Amino acid sequence: MKRTSEICPSRLPDNSALKQQQLPACRLQLSAAGVLSGFFATGAFCLGVGIILILSAKSIKEIEIKYTNICGHCAKLREDATNFDKECTCSIPFYLSETMKGNVYLYYKLYGFYQNLYQYILSRSNSQLMGTDLKDVGNCAPFSKSHNGTPIAPCGAIANSIFNDTIILSYNLNSSIHIKVPMLRSGITWWTDKYVKFQNPSTFNLSSAFAGTAKPPYWSKPVYELDLQDPGNNGFLNDDFIVWMRTAAFPTFKKLYRRLNRIQYFVEGLPAGNYSFNISYNFPVTRFKGEKSVVLSTTTWSGGSSLFLGLAYTVTGAVTWLAAFSMTAIHLMLKDRTKLFIEQ
Amino acid sequence: MTVNIMKSSSTQLQNEKWMNVKVGDIIKLENNQFVAADLLLLSSSEPHGLCYIETAELDGETNLKVRHALSVTSELGADISRLAKFDGTVVCEAPNNKLDKFMGVLSWKDSKHSLNNEKIILRGCILRNTGWCFGMVIFAGPDTKLMQNSGKTKFKRTSIDRLMNTLVLWIFGFLVCMGIILAIGNSIWENQVGDQFRTFLFLNEGEKNSVFSGFLTFWSYIIILNTVVPISLYVSVEVIRLGHSYFINWDRKMYYSGKATPAEARTTTLNEELGQIEYIFSDKTGTLTENIMTFKKCSINGKIYGEVDDDIGQKTDVTKKNKPVDFSVNPQADRTFQFFDHRLMESIKLGDSKVYEFLRLLALCHTVMSEENNAGKLIYQVQSPDEGALVTAARNFGFIFKSRTSETITIEELGTLVTYQLLAFLDFNNIRKRMSVIVRNPEGQIKLYSKGADTILFEKLHPSNEDLLTLTTDHLNEFAGEGLRTLAIAYRDLDDKYFKEWHKMLEDANALIDERDERIAGLYEEIERDLMLLGATAVEDKLQEGVTETITNLSLANIKIWILTGDKQETAINIGYACNILTDDMNDVFIIAGNTAVEVREELRKAKENLFGQNRSFSNGHVVFEKQQLELDSVVEETVTGDYALIINGHSLAHALESDIKDDLLELACMCKTVVCCRVTPLQKAQVVELVKKYRNAVTLAIGDGANDVSMIKCAHIGVGISGQEGMQAVLASDYSFAQFRYLQRLLLVHGRWSYFRMCKFLCYFFYKNFAFTLVHFWFGFFCGFSAQTVYDQWFIALFNIVYTSLPVLAMGIFDQDVNDQNSMDYPQLYEPGQLNLLFNKRKFFIGMAHGVYTSLALFFIPYGAFYNVAGEDGQHIADYQSFAVTMATSLVIVVSVQIALDTSYWTVINHVFIWGSVATYFSILFTMHSNGIFGIFPNQFPFVGNARHSLTQKCIWLVILLTTVTSVIPVVILRFLKVNLCPTLSDQIRQRQKAQKKARPSRSRRPQTRRSSSRRSGYAFAHQEGYGELITSGKNMRAKNPSPIPGLEKTLHNSTSWIENLCKKTTDTVSSFSLDKTVKL
């Protein structure tokens, strides 16, 4: 005992705020005024946002056409895998009663397609898609190598199952004049996807770069022949390919296919009138009881929002206000009693 | 610790560590040394092989005890060579835990000597007033009686620990259930959808069947959902406890500057249990009391001294402000003695004869031995500290006890030496409760001076004392009310002739063989009558500072305090009153002091009847059926009102702890507000603790300072040792240690309460967080074909618990306070939630779990609804898996941070840094991991490139995050607000008041000290032991200053054997009367 006191002359603990648990602090307490005003403010904010969201969602023009049944003959044809090389096209006429103003986007939408399955999401090779190592097919099973052992490029289940319908929208001015609506392929992908995540091997000749690789089994042509006109859209840089590779979170999803090029007739958007979709039907969905549709839609400040968010905000706001009112009532009723309680 | 030892093999003394002491070694002990092993006393520096020991460490008794060596061995003296040749053989009982019994036989030089407890010095004692002594080790190490009395060391765990283990098991069960649900879901999905889908996606179609897939899914989900089992919880809990332990170590308010001892948390695993204590078991000596006796007050001839009148004229207690009486004129005065009433000094100066007589009596009637040390200062060797206090008081007031022989007492009366002839010494014993001396003063007058219990002495007074008696009784009551130990003081002038007759009869009686004791007692009775009352003394068994306040406060916190002491019943009761454990307002105090099982049972039954009788008179005298009785009992247990106290002594306790009476004892004890157990052995202390622990299911705390408390300290849930004293055993066995009993209040009410409060908040939040975090996978399972796809990025899962959310909750767990320490002390009722286990229990766990489930639902379904069929601002779809994952993760981090911000009630800088820092860290790590650079290096490890940049620039996603946060938090705030408004807890109210006080700092009003009303009870208590009178009259404990003439020595030798025999006889009598039935049972 003595020795220890000699070694450390003072055993008195430091008088620091931390050690004495006296750190300056503000004590958070839910004061009635604070909570209630907070509630009213939150409620007002939520209601406001909700109403704005609902209004803007209402302003969105959207047309969705499910074509699985409309193109029933094609669907039937595609059910048999041996008919993969037979072409099947399908034309779907429709009437646009109102002009779709502003930017118009063309989506394809799939129902019941599970892009979020564990094995499915994993089944890709980012290093291959970056173009650095085409032979890297590590995670791609069961679509890593073809029957003869050559690595598949692009490998994996995601790439293999690419949505390969072609959708062409034509504007029917009258029964004889069909104008192909000008569509832009650019800008449908994320910038980082197009310029960072997906890169072709750095050679002048794509086909030679992809030599020694096989095409995915369900593909009709190899990856370096996806767009022979535009080298910026060929190989891994193909926009449709990139969009498909960004897997959806839910089994029902829509993916951006094209956007309207606002020239000629379409400067204002899509004018009202007769249109038709010309679809070359390649992607089989009936085998997994799925459906596909094509969607035309405009957007607002918050994107192509649905009613859900607006409604949710409105409901939350309303509930918050309701709670705030009842809490105020309770608080006022109990105020006297509480005071008495404390005085005791 | 080392000791001088002569190993059995060697012939020289050497210094050895205690650990090397072996049976058969001979140990040399010096004054004030601790005894290292159980020894057979061989010889000592004092004549006749006497030695004095203090057994406070063993049984808490503070008076000195005598041990004496066998005469054959005491002749060995300090002769090393002879001691080395000592080759006696001891045959004795096996090691046991009976402190007051020893049986053995020493065979040496062809003769056998029986050994009893009087020849044994036990480990844990301290040698006092004895220069040196030699002893042979009989038991060493774990065989010693002290160690036999210390219970087994058990691994201590808190109730929260146990609850946590249960909960983790439940959670594991829950995890398995979720796994099974999802596995079944997977089997069905595979069957209905997956089969067709699989053929489309994969080449190896038809290979898997759905049941096998379900089986695999089960294990996948067990792995994914394992974050719901809080593995990091255990580590975090330990970190928090460690922090709390450091706070205890660092607390300046628990630092005792007197001994430079800070409080110390010796374990880091029990902190939150400090906030749940229901029973405190306290030792008395050294824990509640300082083991110092001070002369506080006296009443002389109807006048009270020691109280100071202040200006208003009201009686107030002595305070530090008053100047103590200056004793510097008296060169022999003891500097440490303080007395605050100057009137006594004045009375002495005025020559008040009664005061003289009073002080003279104090200087004459005692068993103190005096000695002059090298500096010429007078040193008193006292066998009971009470007497020391009285004699020292007399000494300071000018009646200095100088020296004594077996026939004379020399005192210095105000500067003149006076020698009194000691004619007779009427010794103290427990039945007489008084002692007297008969002296002849130089003038030739014979006087009997007597001091003793007021109850006894007042019966012996001369009728002329009536007026004085009433006055003195009032004074005594006042003293008793203050918890002082009182003695009544009286004298009698004796006629020479009468005394001579009486003395002759006494000598005759002494020569008797039959009924000697009875005759002597009768003679003592006869002469101790017609006494003239002088007054009374009041000695304070000095309580440690703040003991009374601490105990009052702890009782207000609904903590029951039991005193377990080895000391006498009177002493224990007195201390009970002194420190407010016993009060005069109590409805009844039951004293159980039976010596047989039957008596104890009867006494317990009576006490219970009494207790119930006052509460329900309707069932009196009726035969109630057993079952009905039980029901009634359980009702009564809740409804007993009024304060009761139970006092039980060790012998009764031994019987009461037997199985069939145990329940009665426990029931009675738990209905009493206070329980005092006196004369208990260390093991009994542990048994009492164990009893309460086992049958009341309560959290217990034992506090003590000596080796005799070790077993109870080990046994209780929490053991506290008083540190800074000589012995270390209690501290070494304890979980917490500090220097003063009063720190217990701060340890429990502040540190314990905070610890419990923080730990509970921490646990609630932790479980909530894990549920909120993990269950989204479960919901997502229904949308991803039960394919065990995680919602979040793998990196997020890995970092969430460790990096993003661990520090804020740790900071809360370590620093949070609901009310500050001052209020924690001022409102002891705040302690109750801990005792009732309200802040974290299974219900709270389920609430936390439900909260987590709700949050996970909001977290998952709001983004789900918002993302369904939605496009981004640039028309691109945002419902891709990666964006969804980032949205969810961001929402989760924000919701969880807002929640911890709401939970944190004490925002220090650290909390700010940790909470804001965690959110900031989340975003910086998110952006780093989603950056191009890191993707370029590890493309397969960081596939989320560009995601944060893209998703978190969308207004839509921020609106989703905001809505998720609002919906998760709003209900919690509503519920809390309503709870505070509708049924505010005490803590809420005090927090509100605290807030109000902060604005207008009012002066803190101390609770007024209630002055105890006087009562009709005796404050008599005296730490005295029988046998000393004979020791003195025989003169055998006096060291011969000059070599005595040989015939004298012979005479004394002869005498000494006789008194030693008497002493033995008496002690064995008492021992056997105590242990008679015990041995029968054994």
Side-chain angles (χ1 to χ4, degrees):
Chain A
M1 194 62 97
K2 226 172 199 170
R3 202 176 298 156
T4 45
S5 57
E6 276 165 19
I7 289 166
C8 33
S10 170
R11 305 221 287 151
L12 180 68
D14 295 345
N15 193 10
S16 63
L18 171 71
K19 291 188 173 182
Q20 300 308 316
Q21 304 198 61
Q22 300 282 349
L23 281 177
C26 72
R27 287 171 190 275
L28 182 87
Q29 203 183 355
L30 302 176
S31 72
V35 170
L36 292 177
S37 51
F39 264 61
F40 279 113
T42 313
F45 173 77
C46 288
L47 274 177
V49 172
I51 288 163
I52 292 169
L53 279 175
I54 288 175
L55 289 180
S56 54
K58 289 268 185 206
S59 74
I60 287 178
K61 301 280 182 301
E62 194 182 68
I63 284 177
E64 180 183 350
I65 297 161
K66 292 187 181 175
Y67 63 92
T68 325
N69 293 329
I70 298 172
C71 308
H73 64 285
C74 289
K76 214 161 204 161
L77 184 78
R78 292 294 166 222
E79 266 184 44
D80 189 352
T82 51
N83 296 329
F84 70 93
D85 49 350
K86 289 183 188 155
E87 277 199 20
C88 181
T89 54
C90 172
S91 178
I92 306 152
F94 67 99
Y95 175 70
L96 195 64
S97 56
E98 274 182 283
T99 313
M100 291 177 100
K101 278 187 184 152
N103 290 329
V104 178
Y105 299 90
L106 175 63
Y107 302 89
Y108 60 89
K109 188 168 177 182
L110 293 178
Y111 291 86
F113 189 92
Y114 284 84
Q115 259 203 321
N116 56 9
L117 290 182
Y118 178 64
Q119 298 99 322
Y120 185 83
I121 287 192
L122 275 190
S123 186
R124 66 191 282 163
S125 167
N126 283 322
S127 53
Q128 188 191 45
L129 296 173
M130 260 178 91
T132 46
D133 188 2
L134 285 180
K135 305 265 167 15
D136 182 7
V137 291
N139 285 328
C140 291
F143 299 102
S144 49
K145 294 204 170 143
S146 65
H147 291 298
N148 55 15
T150 45
I152 295 171
C155 69
I158 310 178
N160 186 42
S161 60
I162 191 170
F163 180 80
N164 49 5
D165 286 3
T166 329
I167 304 164
I168 292 162
L169 178 64
S170 48
Y171 178 42
N172 306 336
L173 268 176
N174 50 46
S175 57
S176 57
I177 306 171
H178 302 273
I179 301 166
K180 191 181 166 191
V181 178
M183 287 288 184
L184 288 172
R185 201 192 54 240
S186 64
I188 64 170
T189 57
W190 291 12
W191 185 89
T192 42
D193 282 358
K194 182 96 180 174
Y195 297 100
V196 180
K197 209 170 175 182
F198 293 85
Q199 291 298 313
N200 280 326
S202 48
T203 37
F204 294 108
N205 194 340
L206 258 188
S207 56
S208 65
F210 279 101
T213 63
K215 69 173 177 64
Y218 290 3
W219 285 27
S220 54
K221 49 190 173 187
V223 67
Y224 49 86
E225 283 171 21
L226 283 178
D227 189 343
L228 292 171
Q229 277 86 47
D230 183 359
N233 190 34
N234 202 5
F236 292 151
L237 290 179
N238 183 272
D239 286 310
D240 292 332
F241 174 67
I242 291 173
V243 166
W244 179 255
M245 290 304 282
R246 184 155 282 282
T247 52
F250 300 107
T252 301
F253 59 88
K254 65 177 185 187
K255 281 181 189 283
L256 186 57
Y257 187 66
R258 293 287 182 269
R259 57 195 183 98
L260 180 68
N261 190 6
R262 289 163 71 177
I263 46 167
Q264 301 161 9
Y265 294 102
F266 309 104
V267 176
E268 289 288 299
L270 275 185
N274 282 313
Y275 291 85
S276 65
F277 283 121
N278 294 312
I279 292 164
S280 75
Y281 194 115
N282 294 317
F283 195 75
V285 289
T286 46
R287 259 200 275 169
F288 55 88
K289 291 173 187 148
E291 272 194 274
K292 46 187 182 179
S293 67
V294 54
V295 179
L296 273 174
S297 174
T298 60
T299 61
T300 61
W301 63 276
S302 63
S305 55
S306 67
L307 271 179
F308 174 85
L309 201 57
L311 283 175
Y313 261 106
T314 318
V315 169
T316 308
V319 168
T320 310
W321 264 20
L322 204 70
F325 279 121
S326 31
M327 277 156 66
T328 315
I330 290 171
H331 179 67
L332 289 177
M333 261 157 55
L334 294 177
K335 207 172 181 181
D336 303 329
R337 203 195 76 180
T338 319
K339 255 188 187 158
L340 273 175
F341 225 74
I342 292 170
E343 290 311 312
Q344 273 170 9
Chain B
M1 294 236 232
T2 59
V3 65
N4 275 317
I5 185 170
M6 180 157 61
K7 303 300 280 185
S8 39
S9 50
S10 91
T11 57
Q12 280 192 330
L13 282 177
Q14 61 201 77
N15 217 346
E16 277 281 6
K17 285 186 173 166
W18 278 30
M19 57 182 275
N20 297 325
V21 173
K22 297 236 162 53
V23 173
D25 293 348
I26 290 175
I27 285 180
K28 183 188 182 185
L29 286 171
E30 274 157 20
N31 203 10
N32 296 332
Q33 257 189 352
F34 267 103
V35 181
D38 290 358
L39 306 175
L40 167 66
L41 181 60
L42 293 177
S43 62
S44 84
S45 60
E46 306 302 294
H48 316 293
L50 284 182
C51 84
Y52 303 92
I53 52 168
E54 189 188 295
T55 56
E57 287 275 295
L58 278 176
D59 54 18
E61 285 193 62
T62 49
N63 57 322
L64 294 184
K65 296 191 176 63
V66 189
R67 294 287 182 265
H68 53 264
L70 286 168
S71 47
V72 281
T73 58
S74 66
E75 285 164 10
L76 293 171
D79 191 336
I80 300 292
S81 55
R82 282 179 69 195
L83 280 166
K85 281 187 203 127
F86 179 75
D87 58 350
T89 313
V90 175
V91 179
C92 68
E93 59 190 17
N96 60 52
N97 58 29
K98 294 191 182 65
L99 291 174
D100 54 357
K101 254 185 97 184
F102 181 82
M103 272 159 45
V105 176
L106 170 70
S107 317
W108 189 42
K109 290 182 181 168
D110 306 326
S111 58
K112 290 193 171 184
H113 311 270
S114 83
L115 303 175
N116 61 13
N117 203 30
E118 299 302 306
K119 317 249 180 320
I120 305 296
I121 312 176
L122 295 180
R123 174 172 175 178
C125 300
I126 305 170
L127 196 66
R128 297 283 191 211
N129 298 355
T130 309
W132 48 261
C133 78
F134 283 92
M136 187 177 74
V137 178
I138 294 180
F139 297 129
D143 292 341
T144 56
K145 298 213 174 203
L146 176 68
M147 297 311 279
Q148 291 279 317
N149 258 303
S150 64
K152 282 190 200 114
T153 309
K154 284 180 226 152
F155 179 64
K156 290 183 181 179
R157 278 168 58 201
T158 66
S159 54
I160 288 211
D161 260 335
R162 287 188 291 272
L163 179 60
M164 238 159 62
N165 288 345
T166 320
L167 294 181
V168 167
L169 277 181
W170 284 8
I171 291 175
F172 203 81
F174 180 70
L175 171 67
V176 172
C177 286
M178 285 197 295
I180 289 171
I181 293 172
L182 291 166
I184 292 170
N186 182 262
S187 291
I188 295 169
W189 186 84
E190 286 288 339
N191 212 3
Q192 308 273 315
V193 188
D195 269 355
Q196 300 108 5
F197 199 66
R198 184 179 303 284
T199 57
F200 179 71
L201 284 179
F202 301 107
L203 288 171
N204 47 351
E205 44 198 78
E207 270 180 22
K208 289 176 183 170
N209 70 43
S210 55
V211 175
F212 182 66
S213 159
F215 175 75
L216 290 182
T217 306
F218 172 76
W219 291 110
S220 306
Y221 269 113
I222 294 289
I223 293 165
I224 289 173
L225 297 173
N226 81 71
T227 45
V228 81
V229 180
I231 295 155
S232 60
L233 178 74
Y234 286 94
V235 181
S236 311
V237 163
E238 291 307 319
V239 170
I240 287 175
R241 285 179 180 154
L242 186 71
H244 295 170
S245 301
Y246 272 113
F247 281 136
I248 292 173
N249 293 347
W250 285 335
D251 196 338
R252 280 166 83 95
K253 288 180 181 149
M254 283 165 62
Y255 173 83
Y256 185 52
S257 51
K259 286 191 174 131
T261 324
E264 192 187 357
R266 298 172 46 83
T267 51
T268 59
T269 52
L270 300 171
N271 289 316
E272 75 271 2
E273 196 124 281
L274 286 174
Q276 299 186 280
I277 304 292
E278 280 178 76
Y279 288 89
I280 291 178
F281 298 93
S282 173
D283 178 38
K284 181 190 75 76
T285 316
T287 307
L288 296 174
T289 63
E290 275 185 29
N291 208 0
I292 297 172
M293 304 284 173
T294 46
F295 180 79
K296 252 312 197 340
K297 293 181 183 181
C298 58
S299 157
I300 306 174
N301 200 21
K303 204 169 166 204
I304 201 159
Y305 296 96
E307 270 173 346
V308 182
D309 289 355
D310 64 10
D311 298 340
I312 313 158
Q314 277 179 323
K315 285 175 183 173
T316 52
D317 276 318
V318 176
T319 53
K320 291 235 165 82
K321 280 182 215 156
N322 294 304
K323 257 205 190 136
V325 175
D326 183 18
F327 291 113
S328 56
V329 284
N330 182 351
Q332 291 285 7
D334 188 335
R335 297 269 166 270
T336 53
F337 180 82
Q338 285 193 321
F339 199 73
F340 294 88
D341 193 348
H342 295 262
R343 290 173 309 155
L344 185 56
M345 211 57 181
E346 282 155 21
S347 299
I348 294 167
K349 281 176 193 153
L350 291 172
D352 187 330
S353 65
K354 288 280 183 187
V355 174
Y356 282 9
E357 199 69 2
F358 181 89
L359 293 171
R360 192 174 292 133
L361 189 153
L362 293 187
L364 288 172
C365 179
H366 54 78
T367 59
V368 174
M369 304 292 297
S370 69
E371 194 179 280
E372 271 185 24
N373 68 0
N374 300 337
K377 277 212 79 173
L378 208 54
I379 301 288
Y380 290 148
Q381 293 184 350
V382 297
Q383 71 107 351
S384 95
D386 309 51
E387 277 200 323
L390 294 177
V391 177
T392 308
R395 165 181 174 175
N396 278 32
F397 287 110
F399 285 75
I400 305 156
F401 166 65
K402 292 292 260 194
S403 64
R404 77 182 333 148
T405 66
S406 60
E407 275 141 23
T408 62
I409 299 171
T410 308
I411 63 172
E412 187 186 319
E413 290 183 5
L414 301 169
T416 46
L417 273 181
V418 186
T419 303
Y420 288 83
Q421 206 181 341
L422 180 61
L423 298 174
F425 200 106
L426 285 58
D427 199 6
F428 173 91
N429 75 23
N430 275 328
I431 302 143
R432 283 161 45 78
K433 292 186 176 172
R434 63 185 183 270
M435 68 175 285
S436 309
V437 290
I438 302 172
V439 292
R440 189 198 301 272
N441 65 13
E443 289 86 53
Q445 290 166 309
I446 299 178
K447 286 201 170 185
L448 180 142
Y449 290 116
S450 187
K451 67 178 181 189
D454 45 15
T455 46
I456 303 282
L457 218 58
F458 286 177
E459 288 165 15
K460 312 273 175 199
L461 292 182
H462 193 266
S464 64
N465 284 300
E466 206 147 303
D467 294 343
L468 185 56
L469 180 63
T470 32
L471 260 175
T472 311
T473 309
D474 285 348
H475 293 165
L476 277 171
N477 288 335
E478 196 176 303
F479 298 157
E482 286 162 37
L484 300 174
R485 298 172 161 214
T486 59
L487 281 178
I489 303 280
Y491 75 99
R492 183 185 178 191
D493 290 315
L494 289 178
D495 190 350
D496 209 352
K497 202 176 130 209
Y498 172 73
F499 173 74
K500 270 184 184 143
E501 275 171 24
W502 180 84
H503 196 66
K504 196 168 176 317
M505 288 201 293
L506 184 68
E507 274 175 352
D508 289 349
N510 262 325
L512 279 177
I513 298 159
D514 296 333
E515 298 179 335
R516 200 186 69 131
D517 290 348
E518 287 79 1
R519 284 284 297 280
I520 290 174
L523 283 170
Y524 283 180
E525 286 282 305
E526 202 214 296
I527 200 156
E528 287 168 329
R529 63 185 164 79
D530 292 340
L531 299 175
M532 301 302 291
L533 185 62
L534 269 174
T537 60
V539 169
E540 185 185 29
D541 186 355
K542 207 171 172 203
L543 289 176
Q544 286 193 3
E545 210 181 312
V547 165
T548 317
E549 290 82 0
T550 304
I551 284 176
T552 316
N553 242 357
L554 290 178
S555 334
L556 281 175
N558 213 8
I559 300 174
K560 294 203 174 84
I561 299 169
W562 292 24
I563 297 183
L564 307 179
T565 175
D567 216 338
K568 289 178 171 180
Q569 184 173 310
E570 293 95 0
T571 322
I573 293 176
N574 217 286
I575 286 301
Y577 278 102
C579 58
N580 247 355
I581 285 182
L582 299 169
T583 58
D584 299 326
D585 312 331
M586 288 193 153
N587 300 37
D588 211 341
V589 177
F590 308 121
I591 297 179
I592 312 286
N595 277 331
T596 65
V598 182
E599 269 176 60
V600 172
R601 189 198 299 264
E602 186 61 20
E603 279 175 3
L604 281 173
R605 198 186 56 77
K606 265 189 188 154
K608 244 164 92 177
E609 221 164 61
N610 200 346
L611 192 111
F612 292 142
Q614 291 179 13
N615 281 279
R616 54 165 175 167
S617 42
F618 56 89
S619 69
N620 262 3
H622 291 282
V623 184
V624 196
F625 286 109
E626 186 98 339
K627 202 178 168 189
Q628 222 173 331
Q629 178 109 40
L630 275 175
E631 278 167 12
L632 278 170
D633 283 356
S634 56
V635 175
V636 167
E637 205 169 319
E638 305 301 320
T639 56
V640 164
T641 49
D643 295 341
Y644 295 91
L646 175 71
I647 290 150
I648 185 163
N649 71 29
H651 305 290
S652 304
L653 199 62
H655 300 298
L657 287 174
E658 279 157 27
S659 57
D660 54 333
I661 328 181
K662 216 192 249 175
D663 302 337
D664 289 346
L665 172 73
L666 193 68
E667 199 185 337
L668 183 67
C670 291
M671 277 184 274
C672 290
K673 200 179 161 217
T674 306
V675 177
V676 178
C677 302
C678 33
R679 289 223 163 273
V680 289
T681 64
L683 202 64
Q684 277 180 331
K685 289 187 178 186
Q687 284 172 338
V688 172
V689 175
E690 189 64 44
L691 185 73
V692 173
K693 216 170 117 177
K694 201 166 160 192
Y695 292 99
R696 298 301 295 183
N697 240 340
V699 184
T700 55
L701 178 144
I703 177 167
D705 69 315
N708 58 334
D709 306 313
V710 168
S711 56
M712 99 175 156
I713 284 174
K714 281 183 183 168
C715 180
H717 287 101
I718 288 179
V720 179
I722 301 287
S723 54
Q725 315 217 340
E726 277 179 71
M728 285 289 284
Q729 284 99 321
V731 173
L732 290 177
S734 68
D735 305 309
Y736 298 91
S737 71
F738 43 72
Q740 292 271 296
F741 181 78
R742 64 170 188 272
Y743 299 144
L744 187 63
Q745 189 182 356
R746 192 168 168 84
L747 183 72
L748 297 189
L749 298 185
V750 179
H751 288 285
R753 206 186 82 84
W754 276 348
S755 260
Y756 176 70
F757 169 78
R758 290 163 180 170
M759 188 58 76
C760 292
K761 266 185 133 175
F762 168 80
L763 288 175
C764 285
Y765 177 79
F766 210 92
F767 285 117
Y768 151 77
K769 188 186 78 178
N770 274 308
F771 275 97
F773 169 55
T774 311
L775 281 181
V776 287
H777 297 307
F778 182 76
W779 312 126
F780 190 56
F782 291 89
F783 297 90
C784 68
F786 308 96
S787 67
Q789 174 60 38
T790 57
V791 177
Y792 315 110
D793 177 12
Q794 294 300 326
W795 289 103
F796 179 77
I797 293 174
L799 295 176
F800 176 76
N801 261 330
I802 303 162
V803 179
Y804 301 148
T805 57
S806 64
L807 289 178
V809 69
L810 269 185
M812 182 183 79
I814 293 175
F815 297 108
D816 209 37
Q817 307 178 2
D818 54 345
V819 300
N820 61 26
D821 54 341
Q822 191 57 55
N823 277 328
S824 294
M825 302 268 263
D826 287 352
Y827 300 94
Q829 297 88 337
L830 284 171
Y831 193 75
E832 269 175 56
Q835 293 169 328
L836 301 173
N837 209 2
L838 290 182
L839 298 185
F840 188 76
N841 46 36
K842 284 169 186 156
R843 191 171 155 263
K844 288 277 173 185
F845 167 74
F846 282 116
I847 290 173
M849 189 173 148
H851 184 195
V853 172
Y854 168 75
T855 307
S856 73
L857 281 171
L859 272 175
F860 181 80
F861 284 99
I862 288 176
Y864 171 73
F867 279 10
Y868 187 79
N869 200 22
V870 162
E873 285 163 50
D874 46 3
Q876 294 168 9
H877 69 292
I878 51 170
D880 67 288
Y881 164 73
Q882 292 190 336
S883 300
F884 184 68
V886 169
T887 312
M888 294 268 302
T890 310
S891 308
L892 177 70
V893 169
I894 290 175
V895 167
V896 161
S897 297
V898 169
Q899 187 62 44
I900 192 74
L902 277 177
D903 280 349
T904 305
S905 45
Y906 190 72
W907 280 77
T908 63
V909 187
I910 297 166
N911 293 84
H912 276 287
V913 169
F914 281 175
I915 293 177
W916 301 119
S918 287
V919 177
T921 311
Y922 167 72
F923 281 109
S924 46
I925 290 182
L926 182 77
F927 277 95
T928 312
M929 289 203 303
H930 293 186
S931 68
N932 307 346
I934 202 158
F935 175 77
I937 305 165
F938 309 104
N940 286 324
Q941 280 72 33
F942 298 96
F944 278 62
V945 57
N947 219 304
R949 202 184 322 168
H950 192 265
S951 299
L952 298 181
T953 48
Q954 302 269 335
K955 292 183 211 73
C956 170
I957 281 178
W958 280 108
L959 284 175
V960 170
I961 292 172
L962 191 66
L963 183 66
T964 313
T965 313
V966 168
T967 42
S968 311
V969 169
I970 286 275
V972 181
V973 180
I974 295 177
L975 287 179
R976 292 206 179 156
F977 181 83
L978 290 182
K979 214 181 139 217
V980 170
N981 263 276
L982 291 173
C983 45
T985 60
L986 184 66
S987 161
D988 294 328
Q989 294 173 35
I990 288 165
R991 280 169 70 182
Q992 245 166 43
R993 181 187 275 198
Q994 203 167 278
K995 209 172 158 193
Q997 269 178 352
K998 222 176 186 179
K999 284 172 191 157
R1001 288 213 161 271
S1003 60
R1004 218 170 66 76
S1005 60
R1006 275 190 70 86
R1007 224 170 288 113
Q1009 200 85 46
T1010 45
R1011 200 180 165 81
R1012 274 162 250 124
S1013 59
S1014 66
S1015 67
R1016 307 291 297 176
R1017 74 178 167 78
S1018 168
Y1020 158 77
F1022 200 42
H1024 210 108
Q1025 224 191 10
E1026 191 178 359
Y1028 270 77
E1030 227 159 333
L1031 216 58
I1032 285 166
T1033 45
S1034 64
K1036 288 326 135 211
N1037 60 344
M1038 283 156 221
R1039 215 164 298 169
K1041 277 183 186 134
N1042 310 308
S1044 323
I1046 295 158
L1049 188 67
E1050 273 172 356
K1051 192 186 154 209
T1052 49
L1053 258 174
H1054 171 74
N1055 273 354
S1056 82
T1057 40
S1058 73
W1059 78 253
I1060 284 174
E1061 274 159 21
N1062 284 342
L1063 188 63
C1064 299
K1065 207 174 140 221
K1066 270 174 196 154
T1067 15
T1068 40
D1069 279 355
T1070 46
V1071 166
S1072 61
S1073 75
F1074 288 147
S1075 52
L1076 189 66
D1077 31 51
K1078 231 160 76 183
T1079 34
V1080 168
K1081 260 177 216 93
L1082 289 167

